[in-house]
Amino acid sequence: MSGKTETPEAANASTGETPNDANGTVADAYRGNWVDRLAPAWTRPYLRLSRADRPIGTWLLLLPCYWSIALAASSTGGFIWWDLWLAIGASIGAFLMRGAGCTWNDITDRDIDAGVARTRSRPIPSGQVSTKQALAWAVIQSLISFAILLTFNTPAIILGIVSLGPVAIYPFAKRFTWWPQIFLGIAFNWGALLLWVAHTGSLSWPPVVLYFAGMAWTLFYDTIYAHQDKE
């Protein structure tokens, strides 16, 4: 015996395994996040499916919405009270739809995730929830988001429904292209179009330019993120 006491982290490093304690902590979530510390135990797998323990993704989805509201307001003479609800609705919707999208991604990638060190501790491959439970959770989040969308004008509702296409396709993009980031950009920046339409009632060139600028931004940050899985 060497006389050394090996920590769990060191043991996992030597075996190639990913830390995942009895509480179901996800390997690539930062330690001490609010889900691990404060959420009731039974909710944690579902919140982890939604990446509630990593809120940066919600911001990446939400910021194009805020930019679009500001752009639309500046083009029509300033902010109106309706814009306050658009911002609130977009905030709630971004959290829920990011959660629904991540849940859907985990459902479709469950077999791949089981073989990747960074993702094998996620709720589905680690056995915290079943695929059916995860699917039900994705539907619940989507329906609440749809209820919020119904408070917007008709063109925005139609555009919101159309956005489900890119969301549904994105998890499969890595199976047929080397550039899945493009599909993420299409989905994650949709708010640039939707919130302009929710404010003005129609689409025009400024939000389209903003949309493609957001896609370029997504290509940048998601390419960096993708390099984490090279090994």
Side-chain angles (χ1 to χ4, degrees):
M1 294 182 65
S2 64
K4 293 173 59 179
T5 301
E6 192 174 43
T7 65
E9 289 79 5
N12 284 314
S14 65
T15 61
E17 296 179 357
T18 301
N20 184 27
D21 62 27
N23 293 321
T25 301
V26 179
D28 59 351
Y30 69 91
R31 299 299 176 181
N33 64 76
W34 77 271
V35 172
D36 293 347
R37 291 185 296 107
L38 303 174
W42 69 271
T43 68
R44 291 174 189 169
Y46 298 97
L47 292 173
R48 289 165 182 149
L49 279 172
S50 299
R51 309 294 193 272
D53 50 354
R54 284 159 286 177
I56 184 62
T58 297
W59 281 110
L60 295 173
L61 186 61
L62 180 56
L63 285 174
C65 300
Y66 285 168
W67 296 338
S68 188
I69 295 171
L71 185 65
S74 68
S75 72
T76 56
F79 289 98
I80 57 177
W81 281 108
W82 176 241
D83 293 330
L84 178 60
W85 167 243
L86 291 181
I88 294 172
S91 300
I92 300 171
F95 177 81
L96 291 170
M97 284 309 296
R98 188 258 182 149
C102 288
T103 304
W104 174 242
N105 184 79
D106 281 9
I107 292 170
T108 59
D109 278 358
R110 59 190 182 277
D111 295 330
I112 297 174
D113 286 347
V116 178
R118 182 177 62 82
T119 58
R120 66 169 65 117
S121 58
R122 286 178 176 176
I124 298 176
S126 64
Q128 297 176 55
V129 296
S130 68
T131 302
K132 288 183 178 179
Q133 289 172 321
L135 184 59
W137 178 233
V139 171
I140 290 170
Q141 293 174 97
S142 300
L143 289 176
I144 298 173
S145 299
F146 185 62
I148 295 172
L149 181 65
L150 290 177
T151 68
F152 293 179
N153 56 33
T154 300
I157 294 172
I158 295 171
L159 201 57
I161 294 172
V162 172
S163 73
L164 293 177
V167 172
I169 292 172
Y170 166 67
F172 300 99
K174 65 177 71 71
R175 293 163 169 80
F176 59 82
T177 176
W178 291 107
W179 288 93
Q181 297 94 325
I182 293 176
F183 290 84
L184 183 69
I186 292 171
F188 253 52
N189 294 282
W190 202 267
L193 304 176
L194 194 151
L195 272 299
W196 173 282
V197 171
H199 176 99
T200 66
S202 61
L203 198 59
S204 58
W205 280 109
V208 173
V209 173
L210 178 63
Y211 179 64
F212 282 105
M215 285 183 61
W217 177 52
T218 302
L219 283 171
F220 178 78
Y221 67 67
D222 198 52
T223 298
I224 295 173
Y225 183 57
H227 278 289
Q228 295 181 36
D229 287 335
K230 281 194 299 184
E231 183 180 347

